[in-house]
Amino acid sequence: TNLPIVITNCDIISSINFSQLLDFHKNQKSDLTVVIKEFESQNPFGEIKIKKKRIINIIEKPISLSYINAGIYVINPSLLKYIPKNKLFDMNLLIALLNKKNKNVMPYPITSKWMDVSDILRKQN
């Protein structure tokens, strides 16, 4: 079959709409789609900005935004040939290889609920 394959990490919980994800993958002509989520982190300290050995600014407890890998992927079956058998080969290695081969690796940002199980365990301890 030529239908795309959905892969998820086993330690995530999400309310993602898989139908919309698959539509995006198809419409973007993506070879591999990586679900991403915006992540906000706050430095608990004042950040010092230095220029030419002088303090030019102090930014109190700055917030930074970045995208994180949500551990959900859609892959075209034609890419399975790039995954070696009986060898540790994670998604990061596959993405790097596909980028070298100029394959279409697309990000799919989500705003739906998403959680890593380890976050739940950390909050309980």
Side-chain angles (χ1 to χ4, degrees):
T1 181
N2 280 340
L3 292 175
I5 301 165
V6 175
I7 301 170
T8 66
N9 290 2
C10 65
D11 58 351
I12 59 161
I13 299 169
S14 176
S15 62
I16 186 172
N17 183 319
F18 285 99
S19 186
Q20 289 176 354
L21 171 60
L22 288 165
D23 286 345
F24 173 89
H25 179 81
K26 179 182 176 186
N27 293 337
Q28 296 296 313
K29 296 179 175 52
S30 180
D31 293 304
L32 171 65
T33 300
V34 180
V35 177
I36 62 174
K37 181 138 179 88
E38 192 172 71
F39 180 75
E40 182 179 289
S41 60
Q42 184 170 23
N43 184 338
F45 306 101
E47 186 176 300
I48 304 292
K49 297 291 182 182
I50 298 173
K51 186 174 185 179
K52 295 183 182 178
K53 299 183 182 180
R54 294 184 54 145
I55 293 176
I56 59 168
N57 199 5
I58 299 175
I59 303 168
E60 268 312 312
K61 299 174 179 68
I63 295 172
S64 62
L65 296 174
S66 60
Y67 284 105
I68 60 167
N69 177 354
I72 303 170
Y73 314 89
V74 180
I75 182 172
N76 287 343
S78 61
L79 300 182
L80 294 176
K81 65 185 175 194
Y82 296 113
I83 301 172
K85 293 182 180 172
N86 302 318
K87 182 179 175 187
L88 181 63
F89 194 79
D90 64 23
M91 215 34 105
N92 295 348
L93 292 171
L94 179 60
I95 290 168
L97 177 62
L98 295 177
N99 281 328
K100 284 181 185 174
K101 296 190 174 294
N102 292 316
K103 296 294 183 184
N104 196 14
V105 179
M106 298 293 296
Y108 180 74
I110 59 168
T111 56
S112 56
K113 290 183 181 178
W114 178 91
M115 186 173 290
D116 185 313
V117 172
S118 62
D119 289 342
I120 297 169
L121 297 174
R122 265 194 298 276
K123 289 175 185 172
Q124 290 178 347
N125 292 333

